[in-house]
């Protein structure tokens, strides 16, 4: 593999590190903030905890606009600035509304990053390595999650303002990322969609020095007819990639993954673990997530996206059913953490490794950002809604019923994988467009 492609892919994927860190770091401040501001479960869940996720929904809905107009690279730079301002503002906030506003800004960065980073990496990567390179974004997400859990644990005993350091420390990696992303070139497929052929050819000659860039330009141009540029993803001929993006994004969140990541310490305490043990168990979740994501990254171009989704779906069904049983029958001790470790492993090797790769592959070049925006918006709308409901649902219908619902949804996901999901490994983006639209 071209070393420059690897470096550029890793740099863009660092947006995922900030995504993971930003999403989970709030879990360590969860209960402290509710006590500090004396918030009701409904206000705490829907405003203090979920405001970043509502920002993510907006970022996902509208992130395709700068990704298309300004380009993948410039959007990645804007994302780094949003993360930096959000971290500093959240750490200095003195009331729940100011805190929620700055968390909302970070959410905008998260939502936009799920469009710009996978699109950028998929468009510079060779077909045979595209899966693992785009999956680096997911690897960085889980690395960010692990570092956030570890950071929360280490900062939990530094005093009553520990929560400020928990959310504010993200400013350091955000600044570093923003500087690194300045070195990457612009996406050749984006340049071509803007008729900047000479610049596209220059980047392609670096990416594929052994292939005449004119040949690559001709192949890519087959996806960029002038009359296509006014199209939208909602035309009838694009219903298949649209449906696939909607379903994989929907099932990703109906597994309960974000609800769990946001409330891991609270879930462990509900299962009878002490606060310190709950935080420590959260670090174990981060380690499990990292190990199995690495496995998914290694296997995604060997076994394919569909095979990994089989593994993940079956693991989801088993683990979520066991978690539900643990709450129904009062199994105590380490039962719930062990079952949730299995849940995280299933997510990491399946949906976690596949979702952003798959959505970045199934749309034509000129509609990729718009298609990813649709898939990401679906993902993040549910990712905001479900965690916002968790405190209320746990206190009313109980954790067991919640996890049973998630298990049933994963049975439906397995049916989606069996009957609808195409395999996308090993084909160029242009070949995939032709394959999917012919269905």
């Amino acid at each position: 593999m071209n070393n420059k492609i690897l470096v550029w892919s890793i740099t863009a994927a660092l947006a995922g590190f900030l995504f993971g860190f930003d999403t989970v770091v709030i879990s360590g401040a969860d209960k402290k903030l509710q006590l500090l501001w004396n918030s009701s479960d409904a206000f705490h869940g829907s405003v203090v905890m979920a405001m970043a996720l509502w920002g993510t929904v907006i970022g996902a809905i509208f992130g395709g606009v700068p990704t298309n107009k300004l380009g993948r690279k410039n959007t990645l730079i804007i994302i780094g600035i949003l993360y930096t301002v959000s971290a500093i503002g959240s750490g200095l906030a003195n009331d729940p509304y100011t805190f929620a506003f700055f968390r909302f800004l970070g959410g905008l960065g998260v939502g936009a990053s799920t469009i710009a980073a996978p699109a950028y990496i998929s468009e510079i990567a060779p077909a045979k390595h595209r899966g693992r390179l785009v999956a680096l974004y997911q690897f960085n997400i889980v690395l960010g999650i692990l570092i956030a859990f570890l950071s929360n644990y280490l900062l939990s005993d530094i005093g009553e303002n520990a929560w400020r350091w928990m959310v504010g420390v993200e400013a350091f990696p955000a600044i570093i990322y923003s500087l690194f992303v300045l070195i990457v070139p612009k996406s050749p497929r984006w340049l071509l969609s803007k008729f900047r052929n000479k610049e596209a050819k220059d980047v392609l000659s670096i990416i594929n020095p052994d292939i005449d860039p004119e040949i690559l330009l001709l192949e890519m141009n087959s996806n960029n007819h002038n009359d296509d540029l006014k199209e939208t993803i909602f035309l009838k001929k694009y219903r298949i990639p649209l449906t696939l993006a909607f379903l994989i994004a929907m099932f990703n969140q109906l597994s309960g993954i974000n609800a769990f990541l946001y409330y891991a310490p609270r879930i462990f305490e509900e299962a009878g673990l002490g606060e310190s043990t709950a935080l420590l168990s959260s670090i174990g979740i981060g380690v499990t997530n990292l190990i199995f994501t690495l496995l998914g990254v290694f296997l995604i171009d060997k076994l394919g996206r569909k095979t990994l989704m089989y593994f993940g779906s079956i693991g989801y069904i088993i683990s979520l059913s066991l978690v539900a049983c643990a709450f129904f029958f009062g199994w105590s001790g380490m039962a719930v953490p062990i079952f949730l470790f299995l849940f995280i492993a299933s997510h990491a090797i399946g949906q976690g490794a596949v979702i952003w790769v798959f959505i970045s592959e199934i749309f034509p070049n000129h509609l990729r950002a718009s298609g990813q925006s649709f898939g990401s918006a679906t993902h993040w709308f549910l990712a905001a809604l479900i965690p916002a409901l968790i405190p209320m649902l746990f206190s009313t219908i109980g954790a067991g019923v919640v996890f049973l619902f998630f298990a049933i949804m994963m049975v439906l996901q397995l049916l989606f994988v069996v009957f609808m999901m195409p395999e996308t490994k090993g084909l160029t983006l242009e070949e995939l467009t032709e394959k999917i639209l012919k269905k």
Side-chain angles (χ1 to χ4, degrees), residues 224-260:
N224 283 302
H225 303 302
N226 290 353
D227 55 351
D228 285 343
L229 299 180
K230 295 179 182 177
E231 290 183 332
T232 75
I233 56 169
F234 298 105
L235 292 178
K236 185 178 179 181
K237 66 178 177 177
Y238 299 121
R239 68 186 184 281
I240 292 176
L242 202 67
T243 301
L244 292 172
F246 175 80
L247 290 175
I248 197 167
M250 179 187 75
F251 284 126
N252 183 284
Q253 285 306 302
L254 288 179
S255 69
I257 182 63
N258 258 49
F260 171 62

Side-chain angles (χ1 to χ4, degrees), residues 16-32:
F17 176 89
L18 295 166
F19 163 177
F21 194 98
D22 190 86
T23 302
V24 167
V25 74
I26 190 69
S27 68
D30 169 23
K31 291 195 143 185
K32 293 179 179 66

